[in-house]
Amino acid sequence: MGQCVTKCKNPTSSLGSKSGDKESGSKSHHKKGGVAGGGGGGHKEEPSALCSKTTNELSNGTKALEVTVETPVIAAVTGEPRKDESLDGDGLSLMRIEEMFSCYKDEREDAILEEGMESFCNDLCVDPAEFRVLVLAWKFQAATMCKFTRKEFVEGCKAIQADSLEGICARFPCMLVDAQGEENFKDLYRFTFQFGLDAEEGQRSLQRDIAIALWRLVFTQDMPAILERWLDFLSENPSGIRGISRDTWNMFLNFTQAIGPDLSNYSEDEAWPSLFDTFVEWELERRKKEEEQALMAKEEEGRCTETECSPTTDRRDTEGSRGSQTWGGH
């Protein structure tokens, strides 16, 4: 489960069951055309006890197929009101939220797991690995990556005031603006660390590759100038960095806010994690080498220019002397 961020970068090939195979018909995850699809032609819909039912009747020797599509799925997609439902003070239908959850939940566990999450994201027309999904998980206060429990899903929908797929999609712009607030982003940032841990294995630190992916993801809307250099440092020093602790994760946000891009105001005497000391030393050395290489390249370019000009000057001098000799001879 902790590998979900990496997997989700190619959700169609890896977001199936943990064994890597999807059992046909074993899950009640339904492609309903999504918000954008509107249930148009060419989109296959799998039958289920919740979302549709068929009855066969014989009348006058002719077999007739009567298809009755119940309203839960339609309501879950569009948010259209039903006569038999009651709304809360915010105008939300708990029944529609529960029915929407049931369309994606796992058969054996009362939660939306990896396959259901893929279907849910597809119907929302979002990539499981994109920032909007992280923000949605934050709003739902999801404890585990690629998983929504019933309580998380229901309470999350109530928190964002949406009881349908269309409603959730309509809330994305507001959620993204919310995430930009200083305190809200700090909360989202700290949530992301916990979200990336593998709860089943009792992880206390993020795997290096997962941390790199999550740092890129969480800073989608406002990327610090030093971020790419920090991630390069982590990538180029795999042997010395096995995992990222909660303290290192939390302090990096402070680092991006307090330390300038040139790192001139960084001090090892302050209470920074030791990994930051190593990074700053590595980065300053890299910049020094880069400047030296640039200077050498410039000097080499200057020497080449002088070499190229010298033969031309010599030829002109030779031609000029020959011309003088010719005129002098006459």
Side-chain angles (χ1 to χ4, degrees):
M1 192 67 68
Q3 298 294 331
C4 193
V5 164
T6 306
K7 286 182 178 180
C8 284
K9 292 186 181 300
N10 189 9
T12 56
S13 64
S14 57
L15 264 183
S17 63
K18 289 186 177 180
S19 63
D21 300 323
K22 296 183 181 179
E23 299 177 6
S24 176
S26 66
K27 307 286 183 183
S28 57
H29 308 310
H30 313 294
K31 311 286 186 178
K32 296 173 289 301
V35 176
H43 191 83
K44 296 182 179 179
E45 179 174 296
E46 298 177 4
S48 73
L50 172 70
C51 299
S52 63
K53 64 181 181 180
T54 60
T55 57
N56 298 329
E57 297 179 357
L58 293 176
S59 177
N60 297 326
T62 303
K63 185 176 181 180
L65 176 66
E66 176 184 303
V67 179
T68 303
V69 180
E70 296 182 350
T71 54
V73 170
I74 298 176
V77 174
T78 65
E80 295 177 0
R82 294 170 51 183
K83 295 180 180 179
D84 61 340
E85 68 183 348
S86 59
L87 307 180
D88 66 8
D90 294 321
L92 298 176
S93 167
L94 181 60
M95 180 185 297
R96 286 204 298 265
I97 296 174
E98 292 278 2
E99 288 167 346
M100 180 165 51
F101 173 83
S102 296
C103 282
Y104 300 103
K105 81 177 216 54
D106 185 73
E107 275 191 346
R108 298 176 182 82
E109 186 174 345
D110 195 32
I112 298 175
L113 303 183
E114 292 178 21
E115 186 177 351
M117 193 68 73
E118 180 186 356
S119 297
F120 180 54
C121 290
N122 285 342
D123 289 347
L124 288 174
C125 300
V126 296
D127 186 325
E130 72 175 86
F131 182 65
R132 285 184 294 178
V133 177
L134 176 64
V135 172
L136 184 64
W138 168 57
K139 288 292 187 179
F140 282 18
Q141 286 299 292
T144 305
M145 201 178 294
C146 287
K147 177 180 179 180
F148 287 149
T149 64
R150 181 183 293 271
K151 181 179 180 181
E152 289 169 350
F153 189 88
V154 172
E155 294 301 317
C157 285
K158 289 164 67 176
I160 65 172
Q161 298 187 357
D163 55 14
S164 66
L165 294 176
E166 282 188 349
I168 294 173
C169 285
R171 298 296 185 274
F172 276 134
C174 291
M175 286 190 281
L176 294 180
V177 172
D178 264 355
Q180 291 179 323
E182 183 176 350
E183 289 302 315
N184 284 344
F185 180 74
K186 184 177 180 180
D187 188 61
L188 168 62
Y189 181 83
R190 296 196 170 192
F191 163 84
T192 302
F193 178 87
Q194 184 64 40
F195 185 61
L197 296 177
D198 192 328
E200 295 178 359
E201 295 184 3
Q203 283 185 343
R204 299 174 65 87
S205 298
L206 285 177
Q207 296 178 25
R208 183 176 55 89
D209 292 343
I210 296 295
I212 289 173
L214 288 176
W215 259 314
R216 280 205 172 95
L217 187 62
V218 76
F219 283 116
T220 294
Q221 294 195 115
D222 187 12
M223 183 176 292
I226 200 65
L227 180 64
E228 283 302 323
R229 303 313 314 160
W230 167 250
L231 299 183
D232 286 345
F233 163 72
L234 296 179
S235 298
E236 294 178 20
N237 295 274
S239 59
I241 305 169
R242 294 185 178 181
I244 300 298
S245 67
R246 186 185 300 273
D247 181 57
T248 298
W249 176 274
N250 290 341
M251 290 297 287
F252 182 71
L253 179 60
N254 298 339
F255 181 90
T256 63
Q257 296 168 343
I259 305 302
D262 62 358
L263 305 176
S264 60
N265 62 331
Y266 181 83
S267 172
E268 295 182 2
D269 296 332
E270 296 181 14
W272 296 111
S274 59
L275 186 60
F276 291 7
D277 296 342
T278 307
F279 163 65
V280 171
E281 182 181 350
W282 176 88
E283 174 62 9
L284 292 178
E285 183 64 26
R286 185 198 65 79
R287 293 182 184 182
K288 182 180 178 181
K289 289 180 180 178
E290 196 174 72
E291 290 173 359
E292 290 174 352
Q293 291 173 355
L295 182 60
M296 289 175 61
K298 188 174 183 180
E299 290 175 351
E300 183 66 24
E301 182 181 352
R303 284 196 296 269
C304 290
T305 303
E306 291 175 2
T307 303
E308 290 173 359
C309 292
S310 295
T312 305
T313 305
D314 292 343
R315 283 196 300 271
R316 288 175 180 172
D317 292 343
T318 303
E319 290 172 358
S321 60
R322 287 177 180 174
S324 300
Q325 293 174 2
T326 301
W327 287 104
H330 289 285

